[in-house]
């Protein structure tokens, strides 16, 4: 039996330091056909980040050109920088049957939820703000001012968690990874997405 079926769009949000990258890395490793959407940003690369792999690092002018040309599925300003999802690769990969994973903040996620009602939204809740602060400090990449801004933003974002279809709690990363995988697995088993199997069996 050919088990292939259309790709699904998954939106993962959660404050900086909540563990989204770890959860996404786990999903990419575990799922059959999954694609991580590489965002565009005007933020400077952190040590070890690779252009085109972690982000497409752009100037503000380049980013504003993408907005003007309507090439972004969503975009937002977050702690002083632009972030956005290039629409082209997302649509291509969905059409090719890949599940597409977006790691985006809440303003962008709300745009996706409004424009793509088929998207599955998941909010990753951090175990607590003290842990979040510790993680942001351990990264050692941001100034004190940026850390404080990210923490303030984290509180704003957590208040929006109820807008998402699912909430995953990252008390233990193993739990968060298996909850996220369970959500994706269940969403892919929805009957509406599988009726074509029935027809094949007729
Ligand atoms: P960071 O600077 O820590 O890599 O990311 C900051 C925030 O921007 C994170 O919450 C991340 O999920 C979000 N982000 C990354 N890419 C995008 C994007 O394409 N669009 C939006 N709206 N947010 C993004």
């Amino acid at each position: 039996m050919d088990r292939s079926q259309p790709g699904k769009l998954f939106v993962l949000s959660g404050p900086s330091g909540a563990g989204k990258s770890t959860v996404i890395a786990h999903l990419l490793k575990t799922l059959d056909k999954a694609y991580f959407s590489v965002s565009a940003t005007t933020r400077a690369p952190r040590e070890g980040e690779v252009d085109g792999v972690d982000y497409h690092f752009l100037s503000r002018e380049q980013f504003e050109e993408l907005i003007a040309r309507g090439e972004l599925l969503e975009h937002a300003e977050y702690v002083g920088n632009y972030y956005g999802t290039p629409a082209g690769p997302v649509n291509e990969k969905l059409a090719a049957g890949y599940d597409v994973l977006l790691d985006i903040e809440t303003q962008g996620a709300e745009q996706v939820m409004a424009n793509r009602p088929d998207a599955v939204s998941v909010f990753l809740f951090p175990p607590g703000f003290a842990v979040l602060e510790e993680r942001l400090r351990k990264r050692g990449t941001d100034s004190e001012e940026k850390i404080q801004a990210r923490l303030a933003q984290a509180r704003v974002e957590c208040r929006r968690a109820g807008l998402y279809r699912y909430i995953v709690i990252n008390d233990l990363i193993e739990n968060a990874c298996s909850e996220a995988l369970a959500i994706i697995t269940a969403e892919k088993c929805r009957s509406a997405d599988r009726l074509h199997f029935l027809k094949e069996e007729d």
Side-chain angles (χ1 to χ4, degrees):
M1 184 189 213
D2 176 12
R3 291 181 66 91
S4 60
Q5 61 185 88
K8 265 195 183 281
L9 183 57
F10 291 93
V11 176
L12 183 67
S13 296
S16 206
K20 284 170 295 178
S21 313
T22 313
V23 169
I24 285 185
H26 176 75
L27 295 174
L28 290 174
K29 209 170 59 190
T30 317
L31 292 168
D32 233 14
K33 257 180 114 178
Y35 168 77
F36 172 65
S37 157
V38 180
S39 296
T41 185
T42 57
R43 152 164 96 56
R46 295 191 184 119
E47 208 181 306
E49 282 184 332
V50 179
D51 188 29
V53 175
D54 299 286
Y55 279 108
H56 299 291
F57 294 101
L58 305 181
S59 66
R60 282 189 87 82
E61 293 69 36
Q62 288 171 318
F63 197 101
E64 281 165 2
E65 259 172 48
L66 290 186
I67 302 175
R69 291 206 299 262
E71 289 184 13
L72 297 176
L73 180 61
E74 59 72 37
H75 71 277
E77 205 151 351
Y78 179 93
V79 193
N81 284 298
Y82 278 131
Y83 293 82
T85 304
V90 169
N91 293 330
E92 280 160 30
K93 290 292 178 180
L94 286 173
Y98 282 80
D99 294 319
V100 175
L101 311 175
L102 307 185
D103 167 349
I104 63 177
E105 53 68 67
T106 50
Q107 303 166 71
E110 282 177 49
Q111 293 168 41
V112 177
M113 290 181 219
N115 299 328
R116 304 284 271 255
D118 53 316
V120 178
S121 57
V122 181
F123 191 91
L124 185 62
F125 222 87
F129 287 97
V131 177
L132 213 56
E133 185 164 356
E134 193 188 310
R135 287 189 193 155
L136 289 178
R137 281 191 202 291
K138 264 201 199 138
R139 259 189 206 168
T141 50
D142 288 320
S143 63
E144 183 56 32
E145 194 190 344
K146 284 272 178 195
I147 291 175
Q148 291 309 325
R150 280 177 183 266
L151 284 171
Q153 195 59 31
R155 290 182 190 278
V156 172
E157 293 201 271
C158 285
R159 284 199 285 273
R160 295 197 180 128
L163 299 173
Y164 288 70
R165 191 178 296 176
Y166 297 96
I167 295 179
V168 164
I169 298 172
N170 186 9
D171 49 353
L172 256 184
I173 192 68
E174 294 79 6
N175 293 347
C177 288
S178 56
E179 285 189 2
L181 187 61
I183 290 166
I184 295 189
T185 308
E187 285 286 342
K188 296 206 47 97
C189 296
R190 288 172 77 102
S191 56
D193 292 326
R194 291 198 149 168
L195 287 176
H196 61 285
F197 290 124
L198 246 179
K199 287 181 197 123
E200 277 168 26
E201 294 298 307
D202 279 349

